[in-house]
Amino acid sequence: MSLPACPNCSSEYVYEDQSMLICPECAHEWNPNEEVVDEDALILKDANGNLLAEGDKVTLAKDLKVKGSSQVLKVGTKATIKRFVDGDHDIDCKVDGAGDMMLKSKFVKKA
């Protein structure tokens, strides 16, 4: 029976200790029966606390002024999330009638 490589360092010298797998090179221990959770992934929630995902359709929860323009995005304007980014404006999306924009997740609601 072949054991999987270490998820941390990709070492092939993994050994089994009861129900856990252990890597002797980096000392990482894990249970092969549990789901692997990506700790680096961004988890964002909308204004109502619903989890957002890339590709979701959202609507604006309040009127937003567009910086550097006299344009105002009204409540209910629809947008599609393209990707999540680190920073103050954490959603890169395409807003209907305004084009590509960065928005804060606390100002959108899942449609």
Side-chain angles (χ1 to χ4, degrees), residues 49-67:
N50 298 322
L51 287 176
L52 295 172
E54 293 178 2
D56 279 350
K57 307 275 189 208
V58 294
T59 58
L60 297 182
K62 68 178 263 182
D63 288 347
L64 299 174
K65 293 180 182 177
V66 178
K67 190 173 186 176

Side-chain angles (χ1 to χ4, degrees), residues 20-92:
M20 302 292 285
L21 295 178
I22 301 170
C23 175
E25 292 184 12
C26 70
H28 179 66
E29 298 181 14
W30 74 98
N31 187 342
N33 299 327
E34 290 181 359
E35 269 187 46
V36 177
V37 177
D38 186 9
E39 289 137 11
D40 296 334
L42 289 174
I43 298 173
L44 296 178
K45 295 184 178 183
D46 68 359
N48 294 331
N50 298 322
L51 287 176
L52 295 172
E54 293 178 2
D56 279 350
K57 307 275 189 208
V58 294
T59 58
L60 297 182
K62 68 178 263 182
D63 288 347
L64 299 174
K65 293 180 182 177
V66 178
K67 190 173 186 176
S69 170
S70 62
Q71 184 180 12
V72 175
L73 300 175
K74 299 289 185 178
V75 172
T77 302
K78 295 179 183 180
T80 304
I81 298 174
K82 293 195 305 187
R83 64 185 177 114
F84 296 138
V85 293
D86 282 331
D88 189 29
H89 291 75
D90 46 14
I91 299 174
D92 185 12

